[in-house]
Amino acid sequence: MGEGRLPRWYFGGMGSAGAVFFTHPLDLIKVHLQTQQTVRKGAVSMGVKVVRNGGVLALYNGLSASILRQLTYSLTRFAIYDTMKNRITSGDSSRPLPFYQKTAIAMFAGAIGGFVGTPADLVNVRMQNDIKIPLDQRRNYKHGIDGIYRVFRDEGVQRMWSGSSMAVTRAMFMTFGQIALYDQYKQMLLQSGYFQDTVTTHFTASFMAAVCATAITQPLDVMKTRLMNASPGEFKGIMDCVAYTARTGPMGFFKGFIPAFVRLGPHTILLFIFFEQLRKNFGYYREPRKE
């Protein structure tokens, strides 16, 4: 069922938004760990602290912004990647793209998606981190849209793209690690003769992609989180943030690695399982070429 169907341009955003419902608490804990300058708490103790201070629902602080981010960032990168891929191959799955072309398309799609999704990403980080700061300093955004509006109103358009250079760079490598590598691993598994286009294949390929994506993007993720959560003027630029983080040693760039993988692994797996089910059940067939 669904063999040979192609994904519609918005399936990636829908799959990502669906995955967020299950993985948002892990993402929130990751942000809390990354904004520590010295390692004081691990993932479990940080999660316990969040629940103790704000209750179980505190684990879902910023959920609306997280969903909004997926409907901008992930929707854009998937739409560009799949559209360009299908245009080049004419939607023919028997003509897979060479790996270098997948890489180039993924990096380009990631750059555009990262830029488009930066305002929602900024608000997402702030909403998740709000519980850590004093009451009189909290931003108290009602939801993602309110957060973007208030950043625009109070801090200006330019501030909406604070940390965009790091977000774009991270998105390029994340899209390569997730989408291009998933595509490649899935192709290799199918060509091996031991796998079919089933959930088992989707799970295996997405798990391998998640491992690679986490290792590639973790330092960039730490930098992006710090730049977005910083108060105006805290860092002069990217290199100032790099120097500040480096004071704690090389491992400072890998803070929150375990919760990052624990979060990214399930997110990537659920994303592609949802995405593939949407494709197989609601995708479209390539129209035959007219001679």
Side-chain angles (χ1 to χ4, degrees):
M1 179 181 177
E3 297 294 334
R5 283 187 172 180
L6 300 174
R8 300 189 184 278
W9 63 271
Y10 50 85
F11 283 177
M14 293 177 64
S16 296
V20 158
F21 282 99
F22 298 93
T23 61
H24 184 78
L26 298 170
D27 194 32
L28 180 138
I29 292 171
K30 179 203 71 174
V31 168
H32 281 238
L33 289 171
Q34 289 177 344
T35 50
Q36 296 181 112
Q37 175 60 5
T38 57
V39 179
R40 294 186 294 271
K41 292 183 179 294
V44 175
S45 57
M46 182 63 78
V48 171
K49 179 184 177 182
V50 171
V51 173
R52 184 182 295 129
N53 291 343
V56 175
L57 290 180
L59 291 171
Y60 282 89
N61 283 343
L63 177 61
S64 61
S66 191
I67 294 173
L68 181 61
R69 176 176 179 264
Q70 298 305 328
L71 293 178
T72 51
Y73 158 65
S74 281
L75 187 147
T76 300
R77 63 190 185 130
F78 268 92
I80 293 174
Y81 182 86
D82 286 326
T83 300
M84 293 183 68
K85 173 187 170 184
N86 292 333
R87 180 66 60 88
I88 294 172
T89 63
S90 299
D92 187 353
S93 58
S94 65
R95 295 172 49 203
L97 287 178
F99 182 60
Y100 77 90
Q101 289 187 0
K102 293 176 183 175
T103 299
I105 294 173
M107 299 284 271
F108 174 73
I112 303 300
F115 183 79
V116 171
T118 295
D121 201 5
L122 171 71
V123 173
N124 181 37
V125 169
R126 289 183 172 187
M127 289 181 72
Q128 289 177 351
N129 205 52
D130 227 21
I131 194 173
K132 289 177 62 179
I133 59 181
L135 286 171
D136 60 335
Q137 297 178 24
R138 291 183 184 179
R139 300 176 176 98
N140 294 318
Y141 299 146
K142 297 176 182 177
H143 44 73
I145 300 294
D146 177 61
I148 291 178
Y149 170 72
R150 286 176 56 188
V151 173
F152 167 75
R153 183 191 66 188
D154 301 336
E155 303 176 50
V157 174
Q158 187 174 355
R159 185 62 176 170
M160 293 173 65
W161 273 269
S162 174
S164 61
S165 57
M166 190 58 64
V168 166
T169 303
R170 176 187 177 274
M172 291 172 66
F173 285 96
M174 178 63 77
T175 305
F176 162 72
Q178 278 187 321
I179 301 179
L181 286 182
Y182 171 80
D183 209 0
Q184 186 68 19
Y185 286 140
K186 178 185 172 185
Q187 176 188 326
M188 293 167 61
L189 291 172
L190 292 175
Q191 290 177 344
S192 71
Y194 295 102
F195 292 84
Q196 302 298 321
D197 190 10
T198 62
V199 173
T200 301
T201 303
H202 307 154
F203 176 89
T204 305
S206 58
F207 179 83
M208 293 190 293
V211 173
C212 296
T214 305
I216 292 169
T217 62
Q218 185 61 13
L220 297 170
D221 197 29
V222 171
M223 301 298 298
K224 181 209 72 169
T225 299
R226 291 200 161 184
L227 285 168
M228 287 185 168
N229 195 58
S231 56
E234 183 175 347
F235 296 117
K236 297 177 182 177
I238 294 175
M239 294 312 298
D240 187 33
C241 186
V242 169
Y244 178 78
T245 306
R247 293 175 190 171
T248 60
M251 294 309 296
F253 294 95
F254 288 89
K255 282 185 177 179
F257 181 86
I258 297 301
F261 175 73
V262 170
R263 176 258 174 191
L264 188 62
H267 180 84
T268 303
I269 292 168
L270 289 170
L271 154 62
F272 282 110
I273 287 178
F274 292 158
F275 173 80
E276 294 285 9
Q277 290 304 307
L278 287 168
R279 176 186 65 80
K280 295 182 73 173
N281 289 281
F282 303 103
Y284 65 96
Y285 290 102
R286 177 176 64 95
E287 294 182 4
R289 286 185 174 182
K290 296 180 180 180
E291 298 296 337

